[in-house]
């Protein structure tokens, strides 16, 4: 009998963000080159309504510029470098903000990869749900089978379900009975949750037509605990470290 534990799939949170500037092509490419089949990245709209990969609407943290990206055009943002100097020091000097079209092209070159594309609430508030969903869906159309549209914003996820052919995922703002009822009504393909919101230890995650993705996971021990509760995926920035830890655990299990 095999005693090898069943590990969940790894989702690279903003790409391999532990080693590269987050939400950039080098970060996503690194995760895919490591063998990870699932990546997640964030999308905001520029002032001229072009989707780009950014988590924060303000550029201070990633680029050291105190400006709102949603008020800048794509041409202006193309001159910005998101080297994350405060976090990564001087390791990177010329990493730009990718367009969603560039990310889609990268996905095309990795046909077995899946991307979870998060629609950020700042852009949804600024430009409206219909515009954001339409622009993102339009650009991702050539790789639609490889993409899942996700958001904290319930209305945006519902709109994507109603108006596009994409699979959808809802990111839970809280793990409560009300959220469970909303999941039952929406029936998303994926449900995302921060593991710190799971206050009920050892209990099974809600059952439904969805698959669970639990994020902010950094150890194989926690990943296995979550898998035993029903998590099919775990999301992490520490892609290489966790990938290595999974491999070592599998090797240890196989040798017993």
């Amino acid at each position: 009998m095999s005693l090898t534990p069943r590990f969940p799939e790894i989702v690279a949170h903003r790409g391999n963000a532990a080693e590269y500037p987050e939400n950039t092509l080098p970060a996503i490419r690194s995760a895919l080159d490591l063998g990870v089949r699932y990546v997640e990245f964030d999308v905001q709209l520029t002032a001229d309504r072009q989707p780009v990969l950014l988590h924060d609407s303000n550029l201070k943290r990633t680029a050291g510029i105190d400006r709102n990206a949603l008020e800048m055009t794509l041409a202006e943002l193309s001159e910005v470098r998101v080297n994350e100097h405060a976090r990564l020091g001087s390791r990177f000097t010329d990493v730009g903000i990718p367009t969603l079209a560039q990310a889609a092209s990268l996905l095309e070159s990795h046909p077995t990869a899946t991307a979870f594309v998060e629609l950020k609430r700042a852009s949804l508030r600024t430009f409206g749900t219909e515009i954001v969903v339409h622009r993102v869906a339009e650009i991702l159309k050539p790789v639609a089978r490889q993409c899942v549209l996700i958001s904290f914003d319930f209305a945006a996820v519902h709109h994507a379900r109603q108006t596009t052919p994409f699979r959808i995922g809802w990111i839970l703002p809280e793990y409560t009975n009300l959220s469970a009822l909303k999941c039952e009504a929406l029936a998303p393909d994926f449900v995302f949750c921060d593991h710190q919101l799971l206050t009920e230890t050892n209990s099974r995650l809600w059952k439904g037509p969805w698959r669970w993705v639990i994020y902010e996971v950094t150890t194989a021990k926690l990943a296995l605990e979550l898998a035993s509760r029903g998590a099919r995926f775990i999301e992490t920035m520490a892609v290489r470290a966790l990938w290595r830890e999974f491999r070592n655990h599998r090797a240890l299990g196989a040798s017993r």
Side-chain angles (χ1 to χ4, degrees), residues 31 45 54 74-75 166 176 218:
L45 259 58
L54 273 178
L74 181 60
F166 288 82
T176 62
T218 58

Side-chain angles (χ1 to χ4, degrees), residues 145-238:
R145 68 174 185 82
Q146 292 178 255
C147 297
V148 183
L149 301 185
I150 70 174
S151 184
F152 277 98
D153 191 295
F154 186 89
V157 176
H158 182 265
H159 183 72
R161 162 61 55 81
Q162 297 297 316
T163 62
T164 79
F166 288 82
R167 290 172 291 168
I168 60 167
W170 185 36
I171 310 171
L172 299 182
E174 54 187 4
Y175 189 78
T176 62
N177 289 336
L178 177 59
S179 294
L181 291 173
K182 288 184 175 180
C183 277
E184 290 178 9
L186 180 64
D189 300 280
F190 297 87
V191 176
F192 285 70
C193 186
D194 186 332
H195 79 86
Q196 295 179 73
L197 296 179
L198 302 175
T199 54
E200 300 176 19
T201 58
N202 301 320
S203 62
R204 292 287 298 181
L205 298 168
W206 311 324
K207 290 185 178 181
W210 50 78
R211 287 178 283 179
W212 282 96
V213 186
I214 309 299
Y215 59 93
E216 304 296 356
V217 177
T218 58
T219 68
K221 181 177 183 293
L222 178 56
L224 282 171
E225 289 174 0
L226 293 167
S228 71
R229 298 177 62 182
R232 292 281 300 278
F233 301 82
I234 59 95
E235 187 174 354
T236 185
M237 289 187 177

Side-chain angles (χ1 to χ4, degrees), residues 115-135:
F116 296 102
V117 182
E118 182 175 346
L119 312 179
K120 300 305 291 183
R121 286 177 290 188
S123 287
L124 291 165
R125 288 192 297 265
T126 300
F127 302 101
T129 296
E130 291 185 9
I131 288 173
V132 174
V133 171
H134 173 72
R135 291 294 294 129

